[in-house]
Each structure stands twice: as structure tokens, then as C-alpha cells.
Amino acid sequence: MKKKPSTIAIDGPAASGKSTIAEKLARELGYLFFDTGVMYRAVTLAALRRLGTVEDETAVSQLAAEVDIDITPPSKEDGRKYDVLLDGEDVTWEIRSREVEASVSQVSAYPGVRKAMTDQQRRIGLRGHCVMVGRDIGTVVLPEADLKIYLVASPEERARRRHQENLQRGLASDYSAILQAMIRRDQIDSTRQVAPLKPAEDAHIIDTDGLSIEEVLGRVRSLLEDCARAETDLNG
């Protein structure tokens, strides 16, 4: 019997499709879907609420080490893919606010914040049977993942996707503003000193421009089969 990879890391820039692909893949495999980015959003929300700013790196890092963030299966049928709990409070939708969106890259670049979140993410990932999504899973959080995938797409395509998501949720949306914010975020994420956004050396890169969700999933399934076949050959 072929053995499926137990830990799967899916990385890539914002709106590259990684969360959508990971959620569907996790459901197919019966694995935990863990979008690690929501943890940084939760810390950002906590900082905005309790500190009134994200500019004080020391204070934000201290807060990150103190707050209790948990990710659990969805408790409501309102479109959510999981519950995000901040010290026991359901903040699943609050972490998607414009204020959090504008500040999360800065917060996630703080070394103290990344360390606090990485430690917790590793504990979850190392349990196995997990599809982890983020920007540094394959390079920092779970470098020993059985399969590493890195999704890419042009800024224009990613901004279009985010714009459509907003419209579908009934939110006001400005494509040009989203595109500019996306480009700024890419710059911050790829040039930060700690855990910059980049594919792991052994990651499989998939360009999702022009591909449907099912076409991307098809490529991922092929990688799963290749990984399982290699494991079978290795073990005789």
C-alpha cells in the first residue's frame, strides 16, 4: 500500500490560492487544515485592541508570547473554514478587517512574534496528518515536511481574486487599492530579515495563473502520488 505524506506544507504569497487548495486537499485526505496566517492576524488584532498600535515591536512581541490562540473546526455555518479563538473569544471574522489586513505584514515580520507563533505551529504540525499553509512552513516552521508545495501567481491575478472574494462577501472593494497593497505586502514579506517569503530548496513550485482550482488540485494530487511512490520504493 502506498503511504501518503503525513505532513504537507503549502507556502506562497497572499491570494496565490494556497488556503483554498490546502482546505480541499485536507478534506480529501481527512487531515487537519491549518492556515497558520490566521495566528498572525489574531496577534495583530490583539495588538490593535490592547496596545492601540503595532509600532512598538517589544510590546507586540511580548503580547504574542502571552496570548492564547487556538484553531478549531468550524462551529458555525457562515462560510468559515475553522474557528479562530483569541483568549477564548471567537474572532474568526474580526481578523479579516481592513485594519488587520493593513498591519499584519509588519507584525509578522517581528522576530519575537514569529518565534512565539512558530513554536506553536510546529507542535501542531509534528502531530502529523496535517496540511499547513503559510509563508515559511517549508523553510522554517516545518522543514521536515514530507511534501512541500509553493504556489505562485502574478500580483494582478491575486488582486483580482481578492477583489472577487470581497464582492462575494458583500464588502466594498477597490481593485487598484488591493493591487497596490498586494505589491507592498510582497515587498515586505520577501525582504524581511526573519523568515522571508521564498520557496524551500526542495519545494515543488506551481504557477496558478490561468489554472482552475481543480487543475491545481490535479497537479498536487500527482505530487502526492509521486511522493507515495518514492516512499514505497525506498522501503522496498
Side-chain angles (χ1 to χ4, degrees):
M1 179 181 296
K2 293 181 179 178
K3 183 180 178 181
K4 298 285 187 185
S6 181
T7 52
I8 301 170
I10 301 182
D11 291 307
S16 58
K18 56 186 184 295
S19 293
T20 299
I21 297 301
E23 182 198 5
K24 291 181 177 296
L25 182 63
R27 187 183 301 124
E28 285 185 14
L29 297 174
Y31 284 10
L32 170 68
F33 167 51
F34 184 26
D35 182 353
T36 59
V38 300
M39 298 182 72
Y40 293 101
R41 287 177 173 272
V43 171
T44 302
L45 178 64
L48 291 172
R49 283 181 172 182
R50 303 176 193 183
L51 303 175
T53 179
V54 299
E55 300 297 329
D56 188 335
E57 179 177 346
T58 300
V60 174
S61 297
Q62 180 65 34
L63 182 62
E66 296 173 350
V67 294
D68 178 30
I69 301 171
D70 195 12
I71 313 299
T72 62
S75 62
K76 301 177 183 178
E77 295 183 0
D78 59 357
R80 67 181 62 197
K81 301 175 177 64
Y82 36 65
D83 285 0
V84 181
L85 305 177
L86 175 62
D87 288 331
E89 177 191 354
D90 184 348
V91 295
T92 305
W93 294 121
E94 284 79 359
I95 64 171
R96 299 293 175 181
S97 70
R98 290 183 179 178
E99 293 78 12
V100 170
E101 181 73 30
S103 300
V104 65
S105 284
Q106 181 174 350
V107 170
S108 64
Y110 293 151
V113 172
R114 298 204 71 82
K115 183 182 186 306
M117 298 299 100
T118 295
D119 290 346
Q120 182 171 340
Q121 292 161 12
R122 277 188 61 77
R123 285 197 300 272
I124 296 172
L126 290 174
R127 294 172 188 159
H129 293 162
C130 179
V131 181
M132 297 185 73
V133 182
R135 287 173 170 73
D136 62 350
I137 308 306
T139 54
V140 176
V141 178
L142 210 63
E144 60 272 82
D146 299 322
L147 176 61
K148 302 172 189 175
I149 298 169
Y150 191 89
L151 301 182
V152 298
S154 67
E156 291 77 13
E157 173 64 16
R158 291 185 286 121
R160 184 192 66 78
R161 293 172 184 172
R162 183 58 53 81
H163 178 58
Q164 289 299 319
E165 287 175 4
N166 289 340
L167 293 180
Q168 289 171 5
R169 290 177 181 171
L171 302 175
S173 189
D174 182 332
Y175 168 80
S176 296
I178 292 173
L179 176 59
Q180 292 306 311
M182 197 78 70
I183 292 173
R184 286 196 303 272
R185 184 167 184 175
D186 286 350
Q187 176 69 14
I188 292 173
D189 288 348
S190 61
T191 59
R192 65 187 177 217
Q193 293 184 346
V194 178
L197 173 65
K198 64 178 182 179
E201 291 184 1
D202 55 346
H204 300 272
I205 300 175
I206 300 176
D207 188 339
T208 66
D209 268 9
L211 297 181
S212 67
I213 292 173
E214 187 55 38
E215 286 172 329
V216 176
L217 270 174
R219 297 193 182 189
V220 172
R221 292 188 190 106
S222 294
L223 291 174
L224 284 171
E225 289 299 320
D226 290 344
C227 190
R229 190 177 302 113
E231 179 71 16
T232 299
D233 293 343
L234 181 63
N235 294 326

